[in-house]
Amino acid sequence: MRAFTLDSFETAPGYRDDLPVPSAGADELLVRVRASSVNPADAAIASGMLKGMAEYDFPVTLGRDFAGVVEDSGPDVGGYGPGDAVYGLVLHANPTVHDGSWADYAVIPEGSVSRKPESVAIATAGAAPVAGLVAVAAFDALELAPGDVVFVIGAAGGVGSFFVQLAASAGAHVIAPALPEDAEYLHDLGVSEIIERDSDVAAEVRERFPEGVDGLLDLVSFTPDTSVLKEGGRLASPLGAAGEGPGRVNLMASGTTANLERLGRLLETGALRVHIQDTYPLEQAGTALQRLTGSHTQGKVALAIA
């Protein structure tokens, strides 16, 4: 089986074609992976950042997102069978850091998949789960109402591009710092106001909105600047940087079947569009990883597995 793995903390992750095909457990599916994408979690796993939080069981297959077709299922699986198109995400540690989706096959618990909506392309489904689920969690956490002002730092990336669409659809006024080349892209997603990214962004927000903004989604900062928030404003972060207390929410992707079904409906109706900037074959997963971490992107960097 082909896969892209991290084989030790002393070596860079790489492509290999000599791994055995795994077998599904009693409540698991063996999925023939067709599509995936790159997320910051993949870079964190590849760099060894999680070794203080969970044990690495080498070789570690990288990749969280997946879309594919069920090849086999365990005896306790009741909802899926061979040939079913499914999508979802692989837990970063279950309980060790070992399984991933950047491979020909992945073993997935039944409770961590959903049927791929028929009208959604497999590449789209493979790029959506992690970023889409974090964006939906952020949307729920910030409780946006029509007319609310929400400030999004990192709006051009995967999570940001999904969240902006949800916030704009809810009638929120979305503002975001950005590079000039991102302006058209962000306006198309639903951003109402753009602030030059190289300026004093927080000061500009306070000048435009002296009473503060209703919500802040900061996707990049480990110390978010809460001075832009009005009293009682809400802050969400996927980096564990939101702090504690009312209106402070630290986000994560919860890949339950129910959450994936909700995301699937948003994709199927067109309420969420997935912008894929670049697609790489599995053999070039290392380049895809560098593309995400080493340069500016709009939307998602995808992998075509099969």
Tab-separated table of all heavy atoms in Angstrom, residues 24-72:
chain	number	residue	atom	x	y	z
A	24	ALA	N	-10.230	-3.822	8.844
A	24	ALA	CA	-11.239	-3.143	9.653
A	24	ALA	C	-11.546	-3.951	10.903
A	24	ALA	O	-11.686	-5.175	10.857
A	24	ALA	CB	-12.509	-2.939	8.840
A	25	GLY	N	-11.649	-3.261	12.037
A	25	GLY	CA	-12.089	-3.893	13.264
A	25	GLY	C	-13.595	-4.065	13.279
A	25	GLY	O	-14.290	-3.758	12.297
A	26	ALA	N	-14.108	-4.513	14.404
A	26	ALA	CA	-15.526	-4.869	14.489
A	26	ALA	C	-16.454	-3.715	14.139
A	26	ALA	O	-17.474	-3.902	13.452
A	26	ALA	CB	-15.845	-5.384	15.891
A	27	ASP	N	-16.117	-2.491	14.584
A	27	ASP	CA	-16.993	-1.340	14.340
A	27	ASP	C	-16.344	-0.335	13.393
A	27	ASP	O	-16.624	0.860	13.464
A	27	ASP	CB	-17.359	-0.659	15.656
A	27	ASP	CG	-16.136	-0.108	16.390
A	27	ASP	OD1	-15.000	-0.448	15.997
A	27	ASP	OD2	-16.320	0.665	17.348
A	28	GLU	N	-15.496	-0.818	12.510
A	28	GLU	CA	-14.729	0.064	11.639
A	28	GLU	C	-14.993	-0.215	10.163
A	28	GLU	O	-15.460	-1.295	9.784
A	28	GLU	CB	-13.234	-0.090	11.913
A	28	GLU	CG	-12.813	0.344	13.302
A	28	GLU	CD	-11.349	0.074	13.572
A	28	GLU	OE1	-10.822	-0.936	13.063
A	28	GLU	OE2	-10.732	0.870	14.311
A	29	LEU	N	-14.632	0.789	9.353
A	29	LEU	CA	-14.711	0.683	7.902
A	29	LEU	C	-13.305	0.716	7.316
A	29	LEU	O	-12.453	1.485	7.783
A	29	LEU	CB	-15.509	1.845	7.315
A	29	LEU	CG	-16.924	2.081	7.837
A	29	LEU	CD1	-17.457	3.393	7.287
A	29	LEU	CD2	-17.833	0.941	7.448
A	30	LEU	N	-13.069	-0.087	6.319
A	30	LEU	CA	-11.862	0.041	5.510
A	30	LEU	C	-12.235	0.878	4.303
A	30	LEU	O	-13.062	0.464	3.482
A	30	LEU	CB	-11.341	-1.322	5.074
A	30	LEU	CG	-10.109	-1.291	4.148
A	30	LEU	CD1	-8.902	-0.702	4.876
A	30	LEU	CD2	-9.791	-2.691	3.618
A	31	VAL	N	-11.656	2.067	4.218
A	31	VAL	CA	-12.015	3.026	3.172
A	31	VAL	C	-10.884	3.128	2.166
A	31	VAL	O	-9.718	3.320	2.531
A	31	VAL	CB	-12.322	4.414	3.776
A	31	VAL	CG1	-12.593	5.434	2.675
A	31	VAL	CG2	-13.503	4.326	4.731
A	32	ARG	N	-11.243	2.999	0.892
A	32	ARG	CA	-10.302	3.288	-0.196
A	32	ARG	C	-10.292	4.784	-0.386
A	32	ARG	O	-11.266	5.372	-0.843
A	32	ARG	CB	-10.742	2.576	-1.473
A	32	ARG	CG	-9.841	2.867	-2.686
A	32	ARG	CD	-8.470	2.208	-2.491
A	32	ARG	NE	-7.703	2.197	-3.728
A	32	ARG	CZ	-6.830	3.143	-4.074
A	32	ARG	NH1	-6.658	4.208	-3.307
A	32	ARG	NH2	-6.134	3.029	-5.183
A	33	VAL	N	-9.217	5.431	0.039
A	33	VAL	CA	-9.160	6.889	0.042
A	33	VAL	C	-8.955	7.411	-1.378
A	33	VAL	O	-8.083	6.929	-2.112
A	33	VAL	CB	-8.039	7.386	0.969
A	33	VAL	CG1	-8.006	8.912	0.994
A	33	VAL	CG2	-8.223	6.835	2.386
A	34	ARG	N	-9.749	8.385	-1.738
A	34	ARG	CA	-9.635	9.010	-3.058
A	34	ARG	C	-9.119	10.448	-2.988
A	34	ARG	O	-8.476	10.917	-3.928
A	34	ARG	CB	-10.998	9.013	-3.765
A	34	ARG	CG	-11.619	7.635	-3.953
A	34	ARG	CD	-10.857	6.820	-4.962
A	34	ARG	NE	-11.540	5.566	-5.288
A	34	ARG	CZ	-11.040	4.603	-6.026
A	34	ARG	NH1	-9.826	4.738	-6.531
A	34	ARG	NH2	-11.704	3.490	-6.266
A	35	ALA	N	-9.439	11.139	-1.922
A	35	ALA	CA	-9.074	12.559	-1.846
A	35	ALA	C	-8.835	12.962	-0.403
A	35	ALA	O	-9.427	12.401	0.532
A	35	ALA	CB	-10.184	13.419	-2.450
A	36	SER	N	-7.962	13.940	-0.214
A	36	SER	CA	-7.679	14.490	1.101
A	36	SER	C	-7.235	15.936	0.921
A	36	SER	O	-7.337	16.501	-0.176
A	36	SER	CB	-6.601	13.657	1.812
A	36	SER	OG	-6.382	14.128	3.121
A	37	SER	N	-6.749	16.532	2.000
A	37	SER	CA	-6.194	17.882	1.908
A	37	SER	C	-5.192	18.078	3.018
A	37	SER	O	-4.988	17.190	3.860
A	37	SER	CB	-7.304	18.939	1.972
A	37	SER	OG	-7.767	19.101	3.301
A	38	VAL	N	-4.564	19.226	3.038
A	38	VAL	CA	-3.532	19.539	4.023
A	38	VAL	C	-4.104	20.528	5.030
A	38	VAL	O	-4.737	21.523	4.666
A	38	VAL	CB	-2.289	20.140	3.348
A	38	VAL	CG1	-1.161	20.293	4.359
A	38	VAL	CG2	-1.842	19.274	2.181
A	39	ASN	N	-3.866	20.244	6.308
A	39	ASN	CA	-4.301	21.110	7.398
A	39	ASN	C	-3.122	21.411	8.311
A	39	ASN	O	-2.136	20.650	8.340
A	39	ASN	CB	-5.400	20.423	8.214
A	39	ASN	CG	-6.679	20.249	7.425
A	39	ASN	OD1	-7.399	21.200	7.172
A	39	ASN	ND2	-6.970	19.003	7.030
A	40	PRO	N	-3.190	22.500	9.086
A	40	PRO	CA	-2.105	22.781	10.029
A	40	PRO	C	-1.807	21.621	10.974
A	40	PRO	O	-0.661	21.440	11.391
A	40	PRO	CB	-2.629	24.003	10.792
A	40	PRO	CG	-3.498	24.709	9.798
A	40	PRO	CD	-4.170	23.602	9.020
A	41	ALA	N	-2.814	20.813	11.305
A	41	ALA	CA	-2.579	19.655	12.176
A	41	ALA	C	-1.593	18.678	11.544
A	41	ALA	O	-0.808	18.029	12.254
A	41	ALA	CB	-3.895	18.946	12.475
A	42	ASP	N	-1.610	18.560	10.223
A	42	ASP	CA	-0.670	17.669	9.549
A	42	ASP	C	0.761	18.155	9.729
A	42	ASP	O	1.682	17.363	9.958
A	42	ASP	CB	-1.010	17.566	8.064
A	42	ASP	CG	-2.429	17.087	7.833
A	42	ASP	OD1	-2.822	16.099	8.471
A	42	ASP	OD2	-3.144	17.708	7.026
A	43	ALA	N	0.939	19.463	9.631
A	43	ALA	CA	2.273	20.025	9.836
A	43	ALA	C	2.719	19.837	11.279
A	43	ALA	O	3.897	19.559	11.547
A	43	ALA	CB	2.277	21.507	9.472
A	44	ALA	N	1.788	19.977	12.215
A	44	ALA	CA	2.123	19.796	13.629
A	44	ALA	C	2.548	18.357	13.907
A	44	ALA	O	3.537	18.109	14.611
A	44	ALA	CB	0.933	20.179	14.494
A	45	ILE	N	1.821	17.400	13.351
A	45	ILE	CA	2.176	15.992	13.546
A	45	ILE	C	3.519	15.690	12.893
A	45	ILE	O	4.375	15.023	13.472
A	45	ILE	CB	1.065	15.089	12.986
A	45	ILE	CG1	-0.196	15.220	13.844
A	45	ILE	CG2	1.517	13.632	12.931
A	45	ILE	CD1	-1.416	14.559	13.249
A	46	ALA	N	3.712	16.193	11.678
A	46	ALA	CA	4.947	15.921	10.944
A	46	ALA	C	6.177	16.484	11.651
A	46	ALA	O	7.265	15.915	11.571
A	46	ALA	CB	4.855	16.488	9.533
A	47	SER	N	6.012	17.587	12.367
A	47	SER	CA	7.140	18.221	13.055
A	47	SER	C	7.389	17.642	14.441
A	47	SER	O	8.344	18.038	15.112
A	47	SER	CB	6.899	19.723	13.174
A	47	SER	OG	5.811	19.982	14.047
A	48	GLY	N	6.516	16.725	14.886
A	48	GLY	CA	6.675	16.141	16.208
A	48	GLY	C	6.093	16.973	17.326
A	48	GLY	O	6.331	16.693	18.513
A	49	MET	N	5.295	17.967	16.999
A	49	MET	CA	4.771	18.872	18.025
A	49	MET	C	3.872	18.170	19.038
A	49	MET	O	3.706	18.648	20.158
A	49	MET	CB	3.994	20.016	17.366
A	49	MET	CG	4.847	21.090	16.761
A	49	MET	SD	3.860	22.427	16.033
A	49	MET	CE	2.941	23.011	17.461
A	50	LEU	N	3.280	17.046	18.659
A	50	LEU	CA	2.348	16.379	19.564
A	50	LEU	C	3.012	15.387	20.503
A	50	LEU	O	2.335	14.760	21.322
A	50	LEU	CB	1.262	15.654	18.755
A	50	LEU	CG	0.388	16.493	17.834
A	50	LEU	CD1	-0.749	15.651	17.294
A	50	LEU	CD2	-0.152	17.724	18.544
A	51	LYS	N	4.341	15.220	20.406
A	51	LYS	CA	4.975	14.152	21.191
A	51	LYS	C	4.911	14.398	22.688
A	51	LYS	O	5.053	13.457	23.465
A	51	LYS	CB	6.416	13.946	20.745
A	51	LYS	CG	7.347	15.125	20.914
A	51	LYS	CD	8.720	14.773	20.349
A	51	LYS	CE	9.691	15.948	20.384
A	51	LYS	NZ	10.992	15.606	19.793
A	52	GLY	N	4.665	15.620	23.109
A	52	GLY	CA	4.481	15.888	24.527
A	52	GLY	C	3.071	15.626	24.999
A	52	GLY	O	2.800	15.630	26.207
A	53	MET	N	2.149	15.398	24.050
A	53	MET	CA	0.742	15.198	24.399
A	53	MET	C	0.253	13.783	24.138
A	53	MET	O	-0.706	13.326	24.763
A	53	MET	CB	-0.127	16.189	23.601
A	53	MET	CG	0.131	17.640	23.946
A	53	MET	SD	-0.789	18.765	22.869
A	53	MET	CE	0.357	18.929	21.504
A	54	ALA	N	0.873	13.101	23.200
A	54	ALA	CA	0.438	11.742	22.856
A	54	ALA	C	1.641	10.958	22.340
A	54	ALA	O	2.594	11.527	21.798
A	54	ALA	CB	-0.667	11.781	21.796
A	55	GLU	N	1.578	9.656	22.495
A	55	GLU	CA	2.659	8.788	22.022
A	55	GLU	C	2.577	8.632	20.507
A	55	GLU	O	1.493	8.440	19.947
A	55	GLU	CB	2.547	7.416	22.687
A	55	GLU	CG	3.615	6.430	22.243
A	55	GLU	CD	3.411	5.049	22.827
A	55	GLU	OE1	2.524	4.900	23.699
A	55	GLU	OE2	4.125	4.115	22.398
A	56	TYR	N	3.726	8.717	19.841
A	56	TYR	CA	3.816	8.454	18.408
A	56	TYR	C	4.090	6.964	18.208
A	56	TYR	O	5.043	6.422	18.784
A	56	TYR	CB	4.937	9.259	17.771
A	56	TYR	CG	4.586	10.685	17.387
A	56	TYR	CD1	4.145	11.601	18.344
A	56	TYR	CD2	4.717	11.123	16.071
A	56	TYR	CE1	3.845	12.915	17.998
A	56	TYR	CE2	4.421	12.437	15.713
A	56	TYR	CZ	3.990	13.322	16.681
A	56	TYR	OH	3.686	14.616	16.328
A	57	ASP	N	3.274	6.318	17.406
A	57	ASP	CA	3.453	4.910	17.063
A	57	ASP	C	3.886	4.844	15.600
A	57	ASP	O	3.065	4.930	14.688
A	57	ASP	CB	2.131	4.162	17.283
A	57	ASP	CG	2.217	2.682	16.934
A	57	ASP	OD1	3.340	2.184	16.729
A	57	ASP	OD2	1.154	2.040	16.847
A	58	PHE	N	5.194	4.746	15.380
A	58	PHE	CA	5.742	4.791	14.023
A	58	PHE	C	5.529	3.471	13.285
A	58	PHE	O	5.536	2.399	13.915
A	58	PHE	CB	7.230	5.124	14.070
A	58	PHE	CG	7.527	6.486	14.629
A	58	PHE	CD1	8.167	6.626	15.858
A	58	PHE	CD2	7.165	7.632	13.936
A	58	PHE	CE1	8.453	7.872	16.372
A	58	PHE	CE2	7.442	8.890	14.450
A	58	PHE	CZ	8.081	9.008	15.679
A	59	PRO	N	5.356	3.522	11.951
A	59	PRO	CA	5.276	4.721	11.129
A	59	PRO	C	3.926	5.421	11.294
A	59	PRO	O	2.879	4.772	11.384
A	59	PRO	CB	5.436	4.189	9.701
A	59	PRO	CG	4.875	2.801	9.767
A	59	PRO	CD	5.235	2.287	11.135
A	60	VAL	N	3.963	6.746	11.332
A	60	VAL	CA	2.761	7.569	11.465
A	60	VAL	C	2.324	8.016	10.071
A	60	VAL	O	3.087	8.685	9.365
A	60	VAL	CB	3.037	8.802	12.344
A	60	VAL	CG1	1.842	9.752	12.307
A	60	VAL	CG2	3.351	8.374	13.768
A	61	THR	N	1.136	7.624	9.678
A	61	THR	CA	0.598	8.085	8.400
A	61	THR	C	-0.010	9.460	8.598
A	61	THR	O	-0.836	9.663	9.495
A	61	THR	CB	-0.471	7.122	7.865
A	61	THR	OG1	0.115	5.829	7.701
A	61	THR	CG2	-1.013	7.594	6.521
A	62	LEU	N	0.394	10.413	7.796
A	62	LEU	CA	-0.130	11.772	7.905
A	62	LEU	C	-1.508	11.861	7.237
A	62	LEU	O	-1.928	10.959	6.516
A	62	LEU	CB	0.840	12.761	7.275
A	62	LEU	CG	2.235	12.829	7.900
A	62	LEU	CD1	3.071	13.895	7.203
A	62	LEU	CD2	2.166	13.088	9.393
A	63	GLY	N	-2.177	12.993	7.464
A	63	GLY	CA	-3.468	13.243	6.829
A	63	GLY	C	-4.636	13.071	7.774
A	63	GLY	O	-4.740	12.056	8.467
A	64	ARG	N	-5.525	14.076	7.801
A	64	ARG	CA	-6.735	14.018	8.629
A	64	ARG	C	-7.984	13.865	7.769
A	64	ARG	O	-8.853	13.056	8.057
A	64	ARG	CB	-6.873	15.285	9.483
A	64	ARG	CG	-5.687	15.650	10.370
A	64	ARG	CD	-5.387	14.596	11.420
A	64	ARG	NE	-4.308	13.708	10.989
A	64	ARG	CZ	-4.077	12.509	11.481
A	64	ARG	NH1	-4.892	11.994	12.387
A	64	ARG	NH2	-3.071	11.782	11.050
A	65	ASP	N	-8.130	14.694	6.764
A	65	ASP	CA	-9.321	14.656	5.903
A	65	ASP	C	-9.315	13.427	5.011
A	65	ASP	O	-8.249	12.950	4.602
A	65	ASP	CB	-9.355	15.888	4.977
A	65	ASP	CG	-9.589	17.189	5.712
A	65	ASP	OD1	-10.315	17.181	6.720
A	65	ASP	OD2	-9.055	18.213	5.255
A	66	PHE	N	-10.515	12.962	4.654
A	66	PHE	CA	-10.586	11.917	3.624
A	66	PHE	C	-11.967	11.895	2.981
A	66	PHE	O	-12.968	12.268	3.580
A	66	PHE	CB	-10.287	10.528	4.203
A	66	PHE	CG	-11.397	9.968	5.060
A	66	PHE	CD1	-12.454	9.262	4.503
A	66	PHE	CD2	-11.390	10.157	6.429
A	66	PHE	CE1	-13.486	8.762	5.291
A	66	PHE	CE2	-12.408	9.656	7.224
A	66	PHE	CZ	-13.461	8.960	6.649
A	67	ALA	N	-11.980	11.469	1.742
A	67	ALA	CA	-13.203	11.079	1.045
A	67	ALA	C	-12.842	9.873	0.207
A	67	ALA	O	-11.758	9.810	-0.381
A	67	ALA	CB	-13.733	12.210	0.164
A	68	GLY	N	-13.729	8.890	0.172
A	68	GLY	CA	-13.421	7.680	-0.565
A	68	GLY	C	-14.587	6.724	-0.604
A	68	GLY	O	-15.746	7.129	-0.436
A	69	VAL	N	-14.287	5.464	-0.812
A	69	VAL	CA	-15.303	4.430	-0.997
A	69	VAL	C	-15.033	3.289	-0.024
A	69	VAL	O	-13.884	2.855	0.139
A	69	VAL	CB	-15.295	3.909	-2.446
A	69	VAL	CG1	-16.316	2.786	-2.631
A	69	VAL	CG2	-15.586	5.047	-3.416
A	70	VAL	N	-16.088	2.806	0.618
A	70	VAL	CA	-15.947	1.699	1.558
A	70	VAL	C	-15.523	0.439	0.802
A	70	VAL	O	-16.163	0.029	-0.170
A	70	VAL	CB	-17.261	1.443	2.317
A	70	VAL	CG1	-17.132	0.205	3.205
A	70	VAL	CG2	-17.651	2.664	3.146
A	71	GLU	N	-14.438	-0.164	1.267
A	71	GLU	CA	-13.922	-1.401	0.679
A	71	GLU	C	-14.407	-2.618	1.478
A	71	GLU	O	-14.724	-3.669	0.918
A	71	GLU	CB	-12.398	-1.375	0.674
A	71	GLU	CG	-11.743	-2.543	-0.022
A	71	GLU	CD	-11.582	-2.324	-1.508
A	71	GLU	OE1	-11.932	-1.223	-2.003
A	71	GLU	OE2	-11.097	-3.245	-2.183
A	72	ASP	N	-14.466	-2.456	2.791
A	72	ASP	CA	-14.867	-3.552	3.666
A	72	ASP	C	-15.347	-2.945	4.977
A	72	ASP	O	-15.077	-1.773	5.278
A	72	ASP	CB	-13.678	-4.488	3.911
A	72	ASP	CG	-14.083	-5.808	4.558
A	72	ASP	OD1	-15.296	-6.116	4.572
A	72	ASP	OD2	-13.197	-6.521	5.054
